[in-house]
Amino acid sequence: MTIAGNVCLERSTGWAPRSTVWAWLGVVFIFLAPDARADVYKDARKEFRRDLRSDDIEARCRAYEAFAKVDDPRVVRDLLAKAAKEKSTAVVFHAISVLGRFETDAAKQELVAALRRKTGKKRRLALLALRDQPGAHGADELLAILEGKNSMEAAQAALALGKKRVPGCLPKLLEDLRHEEWQRRAAAARALRYLFEVPPSLGGVPPGV
């Protein structure tokens, strides 16, 4: 029976078939859910901006923590923008930790988009966040940074690729073991350890330990 037929039946008998109930619930979800999600984001953003005005470092750290519970690419943009202006190193490191916890593809891609910037604090923050984020998101961008001349960025990219276990980084990591700068040699050695260690799911030691 069609939805229209079910509606007529409901009006005449006062009884609504189960299919009608689910159909209308689907319509409600399609049209109302985006607005509900938007309200959650807007409310959380207001609280985030308010709490960041605090002079207390722990309060600002908690602000990042609370806002990140809304797994949304717009939240990633807001966090990057505010963290780039933050003067407290402790808060910045906490923001990086929070940025690395997002799980949805859209949020992760927002970090990758920031990584594509040529320069700037947002790019460096995204690089550090991706270092601790599971999954292969940003692998191509990280490989490009690994091949670059900026040794500090290349070292962080090496660690990220090792933790993500991206096989394509192996030749460059082996090459960097002989690099003239110690930062790149050390990062390459650590990244190789990450790359070949046994995954925690199989009884290995988690990356970073």
Side-chain angles (χ1 to χ4, degrees):
M1 183 180 291
T2 65
I3 292 178
N6 285 330
V7 171
C8 291
L9 180 60
E10 181 182 356
R11 287 175 177 173
S12 61
T13 65
W15 175 78
R18 185 177 299 176
S19 60
T20 303
V21 174
W22 285 111
W24 283 115
L25 283 175
V27 171
V28 169
F29 176 80
I30 291 171
F31 287 101
L32 295 186
D35 291 336
R37 288 194 294 270
D39 289 341
V40 169
Y41 164 73
K42 289 179 181 179
D43 292 342
R45 188 186 189 198
K46 288 179 182 178
E47 292 180 9
F48 175 64
R49 290 184 169 184
R50 181 198 65 207
D51 294 342
L52 281 186
R53 300 190 190 104
S54 173
D55 293 330
D56 182 59
I57 289 176
E58 291 187 5
R60 297 206 299 279
C61 287
R62 288 195 298 269
Y64 280 92
E65 194 82 33
F67 195 26
K69 292 179 181 178
V70 183
D71 201 324
D72 186 295
R74 294 169 297 179
V75 174
V76 175
R77 288 196 293 271
D78 291 336
L79 291 178
L80 284 171
K82 293 300 183 181
K85 298 177 182 178
E86 176 60 54
K87 295 181 179 180
S88 167
T89 303
V91 177
V92 171
F93 275 111
H94 191 76
I96 291 168
S97 173
V98 168
L99 283 163
R101 299 179 204 164
F102 286 92
E103 297 181 354
T104 60
D105 288 341
K108 290 180 179 180
Q109 288 300 335
E110 192 64 37
L111 273 180
V112 175
L115 194 62
R116 295 192 187 106
R117 293 171 176 264
K118 293 183 179 180
T119 58
K121 289 184 179 180
K122 291 181 182 180
R123 169 187 164 91
R124 293 193 292 272
L125 289 168
L127 174 58
L128 292 171
L130 282 167
R131 183 189 62 188
D132 296 320
Q133 190 177 67
H137 287 80
D140 291 341
E141 289 76 11
L142 290 168
L143 285 168
I145 294 173
L146 182 63
E147 295 284 350
K149 296 181 179 180
N150 187 318
S151 290
M152 295 303 293
E153 289 190 353
Q156 296 301 327
L159 295 174
L161 289 163
K163 285 187 175 183
K164 292 176 179 293
R165 296 186 173 91
V166 178
C169 69
L170 179 58
K172 183 59 179 174
L173 291 180
L174 293 174
E175 179 185 330
D176 277 359
L177 287 175
R178 300 185 297 276
H179 200 278
E180 60 182 8
E181 296 188 42
W182 70 267
Q183 295 97 330
R184 294 189 74 152
R185 296 197 303 272
R190 178 64 65 89
L192 285 167
R193 173 194 164 189
Y194 292 152
L195 191 63
F196 289 108
E197 67 188 358
V198 178
S201 59
L202 298 179
V205 178
V209 176

